[in-house]
């Protein structure tokens, strides 16, 4: 019987996007999960994490992260890539697109009606693109989906 577990790459930064990803991580229980994120005190504690230097808007580190992503993808062979934002998703989604790995993006960096820089690009690279606020649907376009907040502290407190 084949293994039904997926190899899932979770892409996030070291601060708020990591916090949002950790709120979602139980959804991936039972699957093989690895992280691609910035090297920081907060991410060094993650299990099975590939830590890379913070690229910010550094073109050279962006290109290096494309190479790092490709190398990691050849080793890990992900079945799915999921990101909650941060520019670290850009090189990973680029490689995942080239390798035809399904991509899911959850826009957590936008400010209710203003899309994030990363969201504007991953909108075109993602196969599934979710927004946290319904006001963003008209800003992004027809491919954006709103299914309620995936990451919402107030809602979690009510449960």
């Amino acid at each position: 019987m084949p293994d039904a577990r997926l190899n899932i790459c979770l892409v996030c930064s070291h601060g708020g996007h990591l916090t949002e990803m950790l709120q979602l991580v139980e959804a991936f229980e039972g699957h093989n999960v690895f992280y691609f994120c910035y090297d920081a005190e907060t991410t060094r504690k993650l299990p099975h994490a590939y830590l890379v230097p913070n690229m910010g808007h550094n073109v050279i580190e962006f290109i290096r992260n494309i190479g790092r992503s490709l190398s990691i993808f050849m080793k890990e062979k992900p079945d799915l890539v999921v990101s909650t934002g941060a520019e670290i998703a850009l090189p990973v989604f680029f490689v995942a697109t080239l390798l035809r790995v399904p991509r899911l993006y959850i826009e957590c960096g936008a400010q209710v009606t203003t899309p994030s820089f990363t969201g504007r690009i991953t909108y075109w690279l993602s196969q599934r693109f979710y927004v946290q606020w319904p006001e963003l649907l008209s800003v992004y376009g027809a491919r954006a989906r709103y299914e309620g907040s995936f990451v919402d502290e107030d809602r979690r407190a009510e449960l």
Side-chain angles (χ1 to χ4, degrees), residues 46-62:
L46 293 171
H48 201 165
Y50 293 91
L51 307 176
V52 299
N54 190 331
M55 68 182 194
H57 296 285
N58 183 324
V59 174
I60 293 171
E61 283 303 321
F62 177 83

Side-chain angles (χ1 to χ4, degrees), residues 134-149:
E135 295 84 356
L136 285 170
L137 288 172
S138 63
V139 177
Y140 274 114
R143 295 182 58 245
R145 298 284 177 255
Y146 174 75
E147 308 248 346
S149 180

Side-chain angles (χ1 to χ4, degrees), residues 16-153:
H17 295 290
L18 171 61
T19 300
E20 293 153 352
M21 186 62 77
L22 292 175
Q23 291 176 339
L24 296 172
V25 82
E26 72 183 55
F28 309 112
E29 190 174 317
H31 297 285
N32 302 319
V33 172
F34 68 95
Y35 292 85
F36 187 94
C37 47
Y38 291 137
D39 184 9
E41 186 177 329
T42 53
T43 56
R44 288 182 199 126
K45 302 170 188 171
L46 293 171
H48 201 165
Y50 293 91
L51 307 176
V52 299
N54 190 331
M55 68 182 194
H57 296 285
N58 183 324
V59 174
I60 293 171
E61 283 303 321
F62 177 83
I63 292 168
R64 286 181 176 162
N65 282 337
I66 289 174
R68 290 172 181 131
S69 299
L70 184 58
S71 175
I72 291 164
F73 276 37
M74 293 295 107
K75 177 183 175 186
E76 296 288 346
K77 304 202 181 324
D79 299 303
L80 174 66
V81 175
V82 179
S83 182
T84 54
E87 70 276 355
I88 189 67
L90 297 174
V92 177
F93 272 52
F94 177 74
V95 168
T97 300
L98 291 176
L99 297 178
R100 299 176 192 232
V101 176
R103 298 151 318 276
L104 184 145
Y105 185 83
I106 302 167
E107 173 62 282
C108 292
Q111 299 298 316
V112 184
T113 60
T114 305
S116 69
F117 170 77
T118 304
R120 291 172 197 237
I121 297 170
T122 56
Y123 176 80
W124 300 106
L125 296 175
S126 300
Q127 289 177 298
R128 298 277 190 248
F129 187 92
Y130 293 95
V131 295
Q132 297 296 303
W133 302 277
E135 295 84 356
L136 285 170
L137 288 172
S138 63
V139 177
Y140 274 114
R143 295 182 58 245
R145 298 284 177 255
Y146 174 75
E147 308 248 346
S149 180
F150 290 95
V151 181
D152 183 346
E153 280 301 314

